């Protein structure tokens, strides 16, 4: 990939690092790094906020969103930074990102990147997801990993639908199995939304703090939606 002097690729798909770009263009590496960070910050600022994304779906007549979480693998770090990013469930070092898509799989919003040991339910509660869904008059469909997130009363409409979990000595009924199958089919597009986001190879080389990873993921969300909408 060739670049002209003063240009920095922003797609995240180039194999060149800041050192290669700096040397090829006759500028200092720190200048390239600063430019990249400035562009990422500007793009991240354009990413939709949760409440605005939900209100936009409600205005267009949508009734549901699809909810899921994804893990971004990171390089192993030393000391305390290493421990809090280690996911015991997945046996790797990573960051957790929660995302919402519409019923076609178009990414609407991504959360802040949190250490890998954070549970999906904890991350959603930190963002007050269920309260904001109710405020917008929407519901979310999610997998069984989000079971227990919606702690509404028995008389309230559920804000998050997750299907049925099997219990010890109590297998699912045929109706419950069919319900789970139907929900799985409805929420399938959310996987496509995350797949578009994770096509950016730069996410395979994340080794920085969650704050920078958050800006990077939100910047890639903006670029992903622009690319998909073409």
């Amino acid at each position: 990939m060739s670049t002209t002097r003063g240009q920095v690729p922003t797609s995240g798909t180039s194999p060149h690092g800041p050192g290669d770009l700096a040397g090829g263009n006759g500028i200092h590496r720190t200048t390239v790094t600063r430019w990249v960070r400035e562009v990422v910050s500007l793009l991240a600022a354009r990413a939709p906020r949760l409440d605005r994304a939900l209100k936009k779906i409600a205005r267009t007549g949508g009734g549901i969103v699809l909810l899921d979480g994804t893990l971004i693998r990171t390089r192993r770090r030393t000391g305390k930074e290493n421990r809090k990013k280690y996911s015991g469930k997945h046996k790797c070092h990573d960051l957790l990102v929660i995302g919402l898509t519409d019923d076609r799989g178009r990414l609407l919003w991504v959360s802040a990147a949190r250490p890998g040991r954070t549970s999906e339910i904890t991350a959603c509660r930190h963002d007050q997801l269920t309260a904001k869904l109710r405020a917008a008059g929407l519901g979310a469909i999610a997998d069984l990993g989000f079971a227990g997130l919606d702690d509404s009363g028995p008389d309230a409409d559920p804000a998050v639908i997750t299907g049925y979990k099997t219990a010890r000595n109590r297998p699912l009924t045929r109706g419950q199995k069919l319900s789970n199958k139907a929900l799985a089919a409805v929420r399938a597009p959310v996987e496509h939304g995350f797949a578009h986001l994770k096509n950016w190879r730069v996410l395979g080389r994340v080794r920085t703090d969650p704050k920078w990873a958050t800006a990077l993921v939100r910047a890639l969300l903006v670029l992903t939606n622009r690319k998909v909408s073409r």
Side-chain angles (χ1 to χ4, degrees), residues 121 143-148 162-168 170-172 176 180:
I121 291 179
D143 62 25
L144 293 176
F146 293 86
T162 59
Y164 299 93
K165 267 188 174 182
T166 57
R168 183 177 297 180
R170 192 176 63 187
L172 296 180
Q176 289 172 333
N180 282 355

Side-chain angles (χ1 to χ4, degrees), residues 142-195:
D143 62 25
L144 293 176
F146 293 86
L149 170 61
D150 190 355
D151 53 1
S152 60
D155 297 330
D157 292 332
V160 180
I161 301 173
T162 59
Y164 299 93
K165 267 188 174 182
T166 57
R168 183 177 297 180
N169 301 323
R170 192 176 63 187
L172 296 180
T173 65
R174 183 174 181 274
Q176 289 172 333
K177 290 179 180 179
L178 289 174
S179 177
N180 282 355
K181 186 175 181 180
L183 287 174
V186 171
R187 62 174 300 277
V190 73
E191 304 291 345
H192 301 307
F194 276 125

Side-chain angles (χ1 to χ4, degrees), residues 30 47 52 58 74 79 82 91 123 133 135 156 165 216 220 228:
T30 56
R52 292 178 181 175
T74 61
N82 170 52
K91 303 295 188 295
L133 282 169
K165 267 188 174 182
L216 179 61
L220 295 180
V228 170

Side-chain angles (χ1 to χ4, degrees), residues 53-119:
L54 294 176
K55 288 177 181 178
K56 183 177 180 180
I57 288 292
R59 284 198 305 269
T60 57
I64 64 166
V65 292
L66 307 179
L67 168 65
D68 205 357
T70 191
L71 295 173
I72 300 172
R73 296 289 293 267
T74 61
R75 306 289 180 88
R76 180 171 180 171
R77 303 183 74 176
T78 59
K80 294 181 179 179
E81 291 296 321
N82 170 52
R83 289 195 293 273
K84 68 182 182 180
K85 290 185 179 61
Y86 183 76
S87 171
K89 178 180 177 181
H90 299 94
K91 303 295 188 295
C92 63
H93 295 80
D94 49 43
L95 296 170
L96 172 68
V97 174
I98 303 296
L100 293 176
T101 75
D102 60 17
D103 55 4
R104 294 177 298 171
R106 179 183 170 88
L107 271 171
L108 306 171
W109 167 82
V110 290
S111 71
R114 295 185 172 91
R117 68 180 182 183
T118 308
S119 72

